[in-house]
Amino acid sequence: MSNKEWPIWEVFIRAKQGLNHKHVGSLHAADVQMAIENARDVYTRRMEGISIWVVESKHIHASEPSDQEALFEPANDKIYRHPTFYILPEELNHM
Amino acid sequence: MSDRELLYNYTLHLADNSMILGQRCSEWCAHGPILEQDIAITNIALDLIGEARSLYQFASEMRGEGHTEDSVAFLRDVLDYKNALLVEQPNTDWAYTIARQFFYDVYHFNLHLALANSSEKRISEIALKTIKETTYHLKWSSEWMIRLGDGTDISKSKMQDAVNHLWEYTGELFQASDIEKMAFEKGFGADLSAIAPLWHSKVKEVLDEATIAIPQSAYQQKGGKTGLHSEHLGYILADMQFLQRAYPGAEW
């Protein structure tokens, strides 16, 4: 008997038209078809979605936690990048 | 038999098939070969039991006299169940479960395509909903047939064994009982002789792709539809009916 583990897949669900696919979790599946069906059965049982993406986890490349300072902290003192400094015309008050 | 009695009995036959198979599939709950497939097969169980519920509700309305979906589903004895022998066969292993599901799904899918045109509105409404669910079941079980059949030496031999064993329970699906014959003549039932060739061509297509040989044996079991069941059904009913019999009218 083969004890080979099935690969892990990351699952992304689009909740409704116009929204982005959002990462919801991961699962095991032997192939891509099974991954989509497992995602349907595991993550859309309560009408959470209208579209599914699956990506084998090994194809996801992540930033290194140790690079955190170099990557993210330089943005801390650049609050002018937030659009809150602009004075909006009256008509756009509710933006 | 009045038209109403005929419709009642035909509805029960449809409901019993899906109820018993749903009960069988639910036995996998917490015992699936892998978490994701445990959820998949219990989802299928819920679809089948949901379909059976709609049909039992309809049947209990026809029967009247204070009957409910629960009393119709749970308070009959073995001889009163009109399901085919195929659906009461034990789970045995994953290959048996998949083969049984696949044989039923091909039948069930084509049956409800036909029932969508039933002259009885309730039956056709239930059929339209069931087609969507069964389309998925059939896709799921077909892929598993191919995955196991065209898989490793072990999975192939287990799948071939399951197909060989269950084959003799497939013929009954298309041997119309008197109820089914009359239901078709009256316009609310399906024509099984039209479904049989669709079943055979789909089964051949999938088994070919799964590199599984189609059994040549001509012998076919029958009896379930007229109440003559294998010994398995009594045990299923004992499990299924215990709660309603011990605590009549129990609710969540």
Side-chain angles (χ1 to χ4, degrees), chain A:
Chain A
M1 198 168 125
S2 153
N3 288 319
K4 224 173 106 188
E5 283 268 352
W6 288 346
I8 297 178
W9 303 71
E10 300 301 323
V11 180
F12 302 82
I13 304 276
R14 161 182 276 168
K16 55 182 177 186
Q17 214 68 48
L19 294 185
N20 297 330
H21 285 76
K22 213 174 153 206
H23 185 239
V24 293
S26 54
L27 45 74
H28 288 92
D31 50 53
V32 63
Q33 209 48 51
M34 196 200 279
I36 290 178
E37 286 164 25
N38 285 352
R40 178 261 191 192
D41 287 329
V42 176
Y43 292 110
T44 68
R45 293 167 6 113
R46 300 176 185 87
M47 301 184 297
E48 290 94 335
I50 55 158
S51 166
I52 297 171
W53 286 353
V54 291
V55 181
E56 231 186 299
S57 305
K58 69 178 184 194
H59 295 307
I60 304 258
H61 300 275
S63 60
E64 293 287 343
S66 58
D67 290 345
Q68 229 168 348
E69 281 184 21
L71 287 177
F72 307 116
E73 286 190 12
N76 276 353
D77 60 356
K78 299 184 177 64
I79 48 173
Y80 48 81
R81 287 179 180 166
H82 293 274
T84 48
F85 291 93
Y86 299 96
I87 295 159
L88 294 174
E90 289 265 321
E91 305 83 62
L92 289 178
N93 245 354
H94 296 296
M95 232 178 109

Side-chain angles (χ1 to χ4, degrees), chain B residues 13-75:
Chain B
H13 154 70
L14 296 175
D16 288 347
N17 272 338
S18 288
M19 182 74 198
I20 299 301
L21 186 58
Q23 177 72 16
R24 273 295 190 217
C25 291
S26 76
E27 290 171 14
W28 277 107
C29 188
H31 300 279
I34 187 168
L35 175 89
E36 291 82 351
Q37 293 303 324
D38 191 302
I39 298 177
I41 191 134
T42 39
N43 267 346
I44 290 173
L46 285 174
D47 283 347
L48 292 169
I49 292 169
E51 177 209 341
R53 275 194 67 186
S54 307
L55 292 162
Y56 285 135
Q57 280 162 7
F58 179 40
S60 67
E61 288 163 29
M62 280 188 275
R63 192 153 165 207
E65 296 165 10
H67 278 285
T68 64
E69 53 177 310
D70 281 342
S71 70
V72 174
F74 294 121
L75 301 181

Side-chain angles (χ1 to χ4, degrees), chain B residues 69-86:
Chain B
E69 53 177 310
D70 281 342
S71 70
V72 174
F74 294 121
L75 301 181
R76 283 177 296 140
D77 211 345
V78 172
L79 287 173
D80 304 320
Y81 276 78
K82 307 300 181 199
N83 59 280
L85 296 171
L86 176 70

